[in-house]
Amino acid sequence: MNEKVRALLNQQVNKEFYSAYLYLDFSNYFEARGLDGFANWYKIQAQEERDHAMLFYQYLHNNNEAVTLEAIDKPEAVFDSDMAVLKAGLHHELYVTSLINDIYEAAQDVKDFRTMQFLDWFVMEQGEEETNANDLISKMELFGSDPKSLYMLNSELAGRVYSAPSLVL
């Protein structure tokens, strides 16, 4: 495997674990606000991110590449509103999309078709993640200022259940 591609894939393992930490931090924020549905939504996001990290981890091992686990940064943001958390989530998903695109480009440059095929799932996944984050912001803009509507949105988010990714390595 090309060294640059390997390094970017390895970095992505750690970035995905950071994403899980970040979303747990978001969940903590909403737990403190008494919005258990929002907290649930972000706990499930954290589970997804941990699974994404493990997919990158396993892909590297399946290609006889060692994985170097780095320290995971502590999320440092302090939020002053529910909307600020949701917008930070969208901003983070856009950042992750840029990371996936960078790995894809590096793989494409060296004609690493196996890695490109592996990343195809993540490209589609990031489109879904961005859409979900945008939809959550739109719903909050529509309903968040009304307590009854916020309660209903919170109840909707409480119904989200976890399903593991079905990517075949």
Side-chain angles (χ1 to χ4, degrees), residues 33-149:
R33 291 262 302 117
L35 293 169
D36 61 332
F38 283 84
N40 174 64
W41 200 87
Y42 280 110
K43 276 188 240 175
I44 290 173
Q45 280 301 109
Q47 288 177 297
E48 284 188 6
E49 302 306 336
R50 284 191 310 263
D51 279 352
H52 294 169
M54 293 308 297
L55 289 169
F56 281 100
Y57 174 93
Q58 191 61 53
Y59 180 76
L60 285 163
H61 278 285
N62 287 353
N63 285 279
N64 299 312
E65 297 291 342
V67 174
T68 303
L69 298 174
E70 302 291 341
I72 300 169
D73 292 335
K74 176 185 174 188
E76 295 292 340
V78 176
F79 300 106
D80 59 0
S81 71
D82 300 341
M83 183 61 83
V85 177
L86 303 182
K87 287 185 176 181
L90 174 60
H91 178 75
H92 185 72
E93 289 301 339
L94 294 169
Y95 170 67
V96 172
T97 297
S98 75
L99 296 172
I100 299 296
N101 290 344
D102 289 346
I103 303 168
Y104 201 102
E105 183 177 19
Q108 189 174 37
D109 287 347
V110 296
K111 297 184 177 2
D112 182 348
F113 301 113
R114 184 181 321 162
T115 298
M116 290 164 57
Q117 184 177 25
F118 168 72
L119 292 171
D120 284 342
W121 183 87
F122 287 96
V123 170
M124 290 187 303
E125 175 70 7
Q126 280 311 118
E128 180 182 315
E129 296 288 6
E130 289 176 24
T131 297
N132 289 341
N134 269 315
D135 287 351
L136 200 48
I137 290 168
S138 295
K139 287 178 181 180
M140 184 61 98
E141 287 172 342
L142 287 171
F143 308 120
S145 61
D146 174 60
K148 290 178 185 175
S149 297

